[in-house]
Amino acid sequence: MRIFFIIIFLTFTAFSTYVSWETGYWSAFPPFNNLNTTQIFFDLIISASLVLFLLYKKRSEQNLKILPVILCGVGTVFLGSISILVYFIWDKSLY
């Protein structure tokens, strides 16, 4: 399972880097130019929030420090799913 996350991470990070290089990091903002981008923006916010909540809940139930989840949440604001993929690769207890 870990190799799957690594492949996704490398592929998506390369693609995201290319897109950011070509269009600029801030070109995705504002995400509310039309209904399509608004829906995608809110969908990503909801899905990332759910993942972070489940990671927080799992670590809390196991009495582990929640700092990695907090850092993942901060990273998600700036890097999106890339930081969640890094967390999945790092935390071997998930698989």
Side-chain angles (χ1 to χ4, degrees), residues 31-32 34-47:
F32 307 110
N34 58 49
L35 285 177
N36 292 337
T37 57
T38 302
Q39 187 274 331
I40 291 168
F41 177 78
F42 284 116
D43 182 60
L44 293 174
I45 295 287
I46 291 167
S47 60

Side-chain angles (χ1 to χ4, degrees), residues 17-80:
T17 302
Y18 169 75
V19 170
S20 294
W21 183 266
E22 289 295 318
T23 62
Y25 181 77
W26 296 107
S27 66
F29 296 96
F32 307 110
N33 288 338
N34 58 49
L35 285 177
N36 292 337
T37 57
T38 302
Q39 187 274 331
I40 291 168
F41 177 78
F42 284 116
D43 182 60
L44 293 174
I45 295 287
I46 291 167
S47 60
S49 298
L50 289 171
V51 168
L52 291 170
F53 170 74
L54 292 173
L55 293 175
Y56 169 80
K57 184 177 175 188
K58 180 174 174 37
R59 289 190 74 85
S60 294
E61 288 173 352
Q62 295 176 346
N63 293 324
L64 299 172
K65 294 180 182 179
I66 61 165
L67 181 62
V69 177
I70 292 170
L71 293 175
C72 183
V74 172
T76 302
V77 171
F78 296 103
L79 299 173

